[in-house]
Structure formats: structure tokens, C-alpha cells
Amino acid sequence: MTPADLSRTVLGAVRRAVEEGALVGPVAVPERVTVERPRPGGRGDYTTNAALRLARDAGMPALRVAEVLGEQLVRHPMISGVEVTGPGFLNITLVSGAEGSLVRTVLEQGGRYGYGKSMAGERCAYRHCAEVRATVMADALRRLAFAQGAVVQDGAEAAIEVRPVPAGAGAEELLRRFGADATRWALLRAAAHDRPKLDDGLLVQGEASPFFRVRYAHSRARALLRAAERLAVPVSHEETVDAPALLGAIGDYPRVLVSAAGHRAPDRLARHLETTADAFLGFQHTVLPRGDEKPSAAHRSRLALAEAAGTVLAGGLSLLGISAPEYV
């Protein structure tokens, strides 16, 4: 992980802390943060003063801001530890060999990667009115809760409150106009208090459509695996792959599932799938040999990462009740 990669990782931690309400106040996420090697006698591989810069806007002591960011950063698969020193400096230690372990874990667990026990022992029931968005939301929440170990049952434990779709946009009309998958995406992608965007942009077959990008990224991952099979290139993570954004998105997926289930917010999962898809689409062109290039350990390792990305995209779409087609 280069300093530029780590800087982007710290910025991502800031955004998540703001989104989850851990940093309050009118916190403006900076365009960049500085990370540098610690001075002689310092700790960790890199240090940053990001917490000191954010403390005033957050209305919190810099030490507390640093603790909040540290809690976010240690979840990254390439970071082994974060220590707060001085008035609020973050000292970051990187992991050696973590990438291979992450990719192997995803490939071994398959569609159950990210499943956990954060809601183990809880009994969840979701009561909702006879309205299309509330019905779709309740179904997604049941899936997310089950993935986190909850016992999902019928009953009237928790009401689902969402901003309804516009008058006249009932289930039959939405299915006729957009189909089941695009309808579910639109209804779940918007936060519960926001009005979902239901227009012809949902059906755009291009980069302007997040729904298209996510499913297209999955189909591209599957296409790479089919092409690799024809070229007799096996899937095998053998060396480090320079794809920090994609690795970060894959490694962060379990945390996102915990957050989406615990906060009853499937939109968090949908947004993370967009992040994963965008990172993968920027990476996909490096996976297979080109021209007279001979297959190497680098190609086999990139292919393993591509399969891991496709696994996350398919698993996340499934939890939203949306199909992940082989071809788009």
C-alpha cells in the first residue's frame, strides 16, 4: 500500500465515520490527507494528522476523533493496527501477507462470505403496511438479519417506516415498467427517508446507471473466469496485486453487512456494491495476458482477486433480492 493508497483509505474512514454518525457536526471531508513515514523513534509504518484537522469541525477533542478514525481503519484488510499518540496523531501499521489471506477466505466461503454473528440470538420480525417499498424493504432486512445470525420470524416486532413511492406507482406498474430487479434496486438504493428515483435512467445500459454498473461488473468477472478457462490459466493467489481500492472494498464487505443489518439500512449495502463495482471495472483490464504475453503468477493472482470481487457482488445482490446474471 503506497502513501497515496493509504491517504485514500483514511479519507474513506472519514466518510464512513460521518455517514454512521460517529463524527458529528458539519464535518467536511477534505480532498486529501497527508500520510508520511514516522520520525525516528516513532511508531508504525505511517502517521497522519487527519484527526487534528477534523477536530474543530466535528466539535470533538482531536484524541476522540483519532479514536473514531482508528476504529474504522483497523477494519481494513491491509492494516494490522492503529495507535493514537500525542495530541491525536494516528500511527498506522500495515499487514504483511493479508491480501492473500483475504482472497482465499472469500473464495473458500463463496456466497456466505461476510455472514456473521453480530445479531446472533436476536429474534427479528418486521411489520409493514401493504405498500410496495415497505414490502421490499422488509424482505431485504430479513435477508440481512439472517446473514448476521438472527432468527427471523413472523410477528409485529418492528415496524418498517419508509418514504412511500409516488402515488400510482404500485407494484404491478413498477414491474411492468422496470422489471423486478431494477425496481428492487431503486427502492432499496435510496435511504428510507428519501424518495426513490424511479425513472427511465434505471434501464440505461451504460456507466450512468449504478444498477447497470454493479451487475455489469459481476458479469465481467464471470467473463474473465470463462476466458481464463479457455486459456488454461488457473485461479491461484500467489503474489501481491496492486489494487488497493478493490481489496479495500472486498475486505470492508463484512463490516458493511453488519452495518446494513444493524441499522436497518439496505441502502448501505447497495452503495458499497457500487464502490466495489467501480473498483473492479478499473482493475479488470489487467487480469488476463494480452497478445503474446505468457500467463504468469501475476495473472493467476489477479484472476483470483477478480473471482473474489464477483463473489462479493453476487452475494450482495442476492441479499438485496436481486439477480446477478452471467451476461449483461
Side-chain angles (χ1 to χ4, degrees), residues 219-235 287-289 293 295 303 326-327:
S219 72
R220 286 298 305 148
R222 299 302 303 167
L224 288 171
L225 291 169
R226 292 192 297 271
E229 187 175 358
R230 292 194 297 271
L231 295 172
V233 181
V235 176
V287 173
L288 293 178
E293 191 177 10
L303 189 62
E326 292 275 322
Y327 305 90

Side-chain angles (χ1 to χ4, degrees), residues 56 80 115 146:
R56 177 178 294 181
S80 66
Y115 282 37
F146 176 80

Side-chain angles (χ1 to χ4, degrees), residues 135-196:
T135 301
V136 168
M137 177 75 79
D139 178 68
L141 291 178
R142 292 185 188 103
R143 295 167 185 263
L144 288 165
F146 176 80
Q148 293 307 311
V151 177
V152 180
Q153 60 189 43
D154 294 330
E157 178 181 312
I160 304 299
E161 297 181 3
V162 294
R163 187 169 181 177
V165 298
E172 292 185 4
E173 171 62 18
L174 293 173
L175 290 173
R176 182 195 65 77
R177 186 175 176 187
F178 302 114
D181 285 334
T183 296
R184 290 184 71 98
W185 175 269
L187 298 180
L188 295 171
R189 171 57 179 82
H193 57 271
D194 291 333
R195 187 178 296 279

Side-chain angles (χ1 to χ4, degrees), residues 97-285:
E99 175 189 318
S101 176
L102 171 65
V103 173
R104 285 189 289 272
T105 295
V106 178
L107 299 188
E108 288 170 3
Q109 296 183 1
R112 294 187 68 84
Y113 170 64
Y115 282 37
K117 299 295 183 182
S118 66
M119 298 177 70
E122 294 187 34
R123 293 185 176 273
C124 299
Y126 300 101
R127 174 169 49 87
H128 59 87
C129 62
E131 193 272 337
V132 60
R133 190 181 184 197
T135 301
V136 168
M137 177 75 79
D139 178 68
L141 291 178
R142 292 185 188 103
R143 295 167 185 263
L144 288 165
F146 176 80
Q148 293 307 311
V151 177
V152 180
Q153 60 189 43
D154 294 330
E157 178 181 312
I160 304 299
E161 297 181 3
V162 294
R163 187 169 181 177
V165 298
E172 292 185 4
E173 171 62 18
L174 293 173
L175 290 173
R176 182 195 65 77
R177 186 175 176 187
F178 302 114
D181 285 334
T183 296
R184 290 184 71 98
W185 175 269
L187 298 180
L188 295 171
R189 171 57 179 82
H193 57 271
D194 291 333
R195 187 178 296 279
K197 189 174 182 180
L198 294 160
D199 58 33
D200 291 339
L202 269 175
L203 303 180
V204 170
Q205 299 290 295
E207 294 183 358
S209 168
F211 172 63
F212 172 80
R213 289 202 310 275
V214 169
R215 299 212 308 167
Y216 176 67
H218 172 263
S219 72
R220 286 298 305 148
R222 299 302 303 167
L224 288 171
L225 291 169
R226 292 192 297 271
E229 187 175 358
R230 292 194 297 271
L231 295 172
V233 181
V235 176
S236 175
H237 191 281
E238 301 170 19
E239 63 179 45
T240 300
V241 178
D242 184 20
L246 183 55
L247 284 162
I250 292 172
D252 211 26
Y253 178 71
R255 181 200 66 81
V256 171
L257 294 189
V258 171
S259 176
H263 290 86
R264 299 165 65 189
D267 57 291
R268 297 187 180 190
L269 172 55
R271 289 196 300 273
H272 187 73
L273 293 180
E274 292 175 26
T275 298
T276 305
D278 290 343
F280 173 76
L281 291 173
F283 161 78
Q284 61 165 330
H285 305 292

